[in-house]
Amino acid sequence: MNRHALKKLLKDRRALISPESHGLSRPTGRGRRAPGLSQGQVDELLGYADRTYQRLESGNYPHPPVDLLRDVARLYGMNEQEWISLCRYARGEDPPGPLYDTSGHALPAAWADAVAGITHAAYVTDASWNLVTCNDRFHALFESGKAPANTMRWMLLDGRDQLIEWDTAWAPLVMPQLQAALAQRPEDKVLRQIEADVLADPAARLLYEKGGASIHPDGDERPIRHAIEGPGWVTMCVAQPLAAPGSRCMILVFRSGPRRAGTRPRMLQAPGTRLDA
C-alpha cells in the first residue's frame, strides 16, 4: 500500500464531487473548509458503515476489497488509468478487470495516424477483437485484399486456410485467449457469438474444449501464407493502448520462406543491465 499516493488521489477526486449533485447539502460544521463531498457523505452515498471511507482514504484499511474500490472509483467518475492507480495504491496489484463494462471499445483517434505510419503490417483491435484501425500493409496480407472485421473470428474460423499449421500453431494458442477474455468479460456479446460459432464447428470445438493456458503472443512467431508474398511467418509485437483496457496494437513483422525451427525470439534490454540480475 502507498498511503501517501492513495490519500492524495482520493482526496483530490473527492474534492471535485459537489454534494448538491447527489441531493446532499454541503457540510457547514466547525472547521469544515474542504471542497466536495465529506468522507461521511461518501459512506452515505455508497451504503457503507460509518468511517469506512475514512479508513480507506487515510490508508488504515489493509487490503480493502475490490468492490469498495470500484464503488468509490465509479462515484468519483475515475477513468481506467485512475482505476489502475487506485488498485495499485490500495492493494499493491492491478485490478481484476476494467472499471466500466464499456471500456476497451474506444481509444484516442491518434492511434489511426500512429498505425498508418508503421512500416510493417499493423492494426488495433478493441476488447472484443473488432478491428478499429489498420494500415495498408495489413490489408495486403489477406487474400481478399481487405482485413477482417474481427481478428479473433478470423484466426479461429474464417482464416484457417491461410493460416499454415492452423491446428497446431494457431488455434491451440488463440483458443485460450478467447476463454480468458470471456472470463473477464462474460457479457461480451461479440465474444459470446464467436464462442458459439467455435462450438458449432467440429474441428474448432475439439481444440476449444481441450483448453490450455492463455499464452500472450508478444514476440511469438507463427506461419502464414501472405496473399502477395506467399508462405512465410509473422513475428508478433504487441502493445496495449492504455486508454482502452483489453484493446491491443499488433505489429506483424512478415518474413517469406520456410519457418525457422528451434529458435527463440531475441530479447532486448537496456545497455548495462542483466536479465538475470
Side-chain angles (χ1 to χ4, degrees):
M1 175 181 287
N2 187 327
R3 285 183 172 85
H4 177 75
L6 176 64
K7 181 176 181 178
K8 178 170 176 54
L9 173 63
L10 290 176
K11 186 176 180 180
D12 289 350
R13 296 297 285 126
R14 178 165 60 87
L16 300 177
I17 311 298
S18 68
E20 293 84 357
S21 66
H22 291 277
L24 302 175
S25 60
R26 188 172 298 276
T28 58
R30 177 182 295 181
R32 174 63 184 174
R33 297 291 184 271
L37 294 169
S38 70
Q39 293 178 339
Q41 286 175 329
V42 175
D43 286 328
E44 180 180 352
L45 288 171
L46 297 181
Y48 286 101
D50 187 41
R51 300 183 67 81
T52 297
Y53 178 78
Q54 187 275 334
R55 290 175 58 206
L56 175 65
E57 187 175 298
S58 65
N60 292 319
Y61 198 144
H63 211 65
V66 172
D67 287 346
L68 169 60
L69 299 180
R70 182 180 290 107
D71 288 345
V72 171
R74 288 179 175 174
L75 174 65
Y76 290 175
M78 289 185 177
N79 60 36
E80 293 294 341
Q81 291 310 297
E82 291 170 327
W83 167 235
I84 292 173
S85 295
L86 176 60
C87 289
R88 289 177 178 176
Y89 296 157
R91 294 170 55 90
E93 62 189 27
D94 284 346
L99 180 58
Y100 306 105
D101 294 338
T102 55
S103 295
H105 292 88
L107 60 155
W111 274 97
D113 293 333
V115 168
I118 296 174
T119 57
H120 297 287
Y123 65 95
V124 174
T125 56
D126 65 16
S128 302
W129 269 266
N130 294 315
L131 185 67
V132 176
T133 187
C134 70
N135 60 14
D136 290 340
R137 284 184 175 268
F138 187 59
H139 281 304
L141 181 67
F142 301 94
E143 294 172 349
S144 66
K146 184 177 180 180
N150 186 286
T151 58
M152 174 66 77
R153 172 178 292 280
W154 189 83
M155 288 186 291
L156 294 183
L157 295 165
D158 302 333
R160 66 182 70 179
D161 291 337
Q162 197 174 343
L163 299 175
I164 300 172
E165 301 173 21
W166 173 82
D167 59 339
T168 57
W170 288 89
L173 302 179
V174 181
M175 297 287 187
Q177 292 184 59
L178 174 59
Q179 293 169 334
L182 282 170
Q184 191 172 68
R185 296 173 179 267
E187 304 304 320
D188 191 304
K189 294 181 179 179
V190 173
L191 297 178
R192 280 295 174 202
Q193 185 59 56
I194 294 174
E195 180 188 48
D197 293 341
V198 164
L199 293 175
D201 182 283
R205 181 187 185 112
L206 181 63
L207 294 171
Y208 189 74
E209 292 180 342
K210 282 185 177 180
S214 178
I215 301 176
H216 201 284
D218 194 21
D220 196 14
E221 296 181 346
R222 297 180 191 171
I224 192 171
R225 184 176 297 102
H226 195 293
I228 299 173
E229 301 182 40
W233 72 90
V234 289
T235 302
M236 301 179 175
C237 300
V238 189
Q240 167 71 66
L242 296 181
S247 66
R248 61 205 59 77
C249 174
M250 301 283 291
I251 302 172
L252 307 180
V253 182
F254 177 80
R255 296 178 178 86
S256 59
R259 187 184 186 191
R260 297 181 299 183
T263 61
R264 299 183 64 182
R266 293 187 305 112
M267 303 298 291
L268 298 176
Q269 60 187 105
T273 63
R274 293 177 54 190
L275 292 177
D276 59 351

